[in-house]
Amino acid sequence: MVTTTEIALLVLVLALLFGAFRIIKAVKPLVVNAIVGVIILFIANFVGLGVEISAVAVLVCAVGGVPGALLVIILAYLDIAFVATMAPLGAMA
């Protein structure tokens, strides 16, 4: 025999599952955008655009995604922020 407590728990679990599905569905594009932004940052550094990979730059890319990565690249290109420091060749010898 099914009791009212079992039915209430079943309804509660179904409501929680539905809520979790809605939250994951809403957050998934943001996570993908953040991952793509960080990948763009690493590609820009690999290509040689002079972007310093720091905690702040990665955080901007993770929060801002692709627009954040483009902002970091533009600021580094214009020598405003996130510029990789290069040691002179004579100092390395």
Side-chain angles (χ1 to χ4, degrees):
M1 179 116 212
V2 179
T3 63
T4 4
T5 307
E6 292 172 341
I7 293 174
L9 284 174
L10 179 65
V11 169
L12 178 66
V13 167
L14 288 175
L16 288 175
L17 284 175
F18 181 72
F21 174 75
R22 299 264 314 202
I23 290 172
I24 290 172
K25 187 177 173 184
V27 171
K28 185 178 175 184
L30 298 174
V31 171
V32 170
N33 192 24
I35 291 171
V36 171
V38 172
I39 289 172
I40 289 174
L41 178 68
F42 282 109
I43 290 173
N45 188 21
F46 180 74
V47 170
L49 292 178
V51 179
E52 177 185 2
I53 296 181
S54 64
V56 176
V58 171
L59 185 64
V60 168
C61 290
V63 172
V66 175
L70 293 176
L71 176 70
V72 168
I73 292 169
I74 290 170
L75 289 175
Y77 183 75
L78 296 175
D79 290 335
I80 296 174
F82 308 114
V83 180
T85 55
M86 304 276 284
L89 290 178
M92 296 182 76

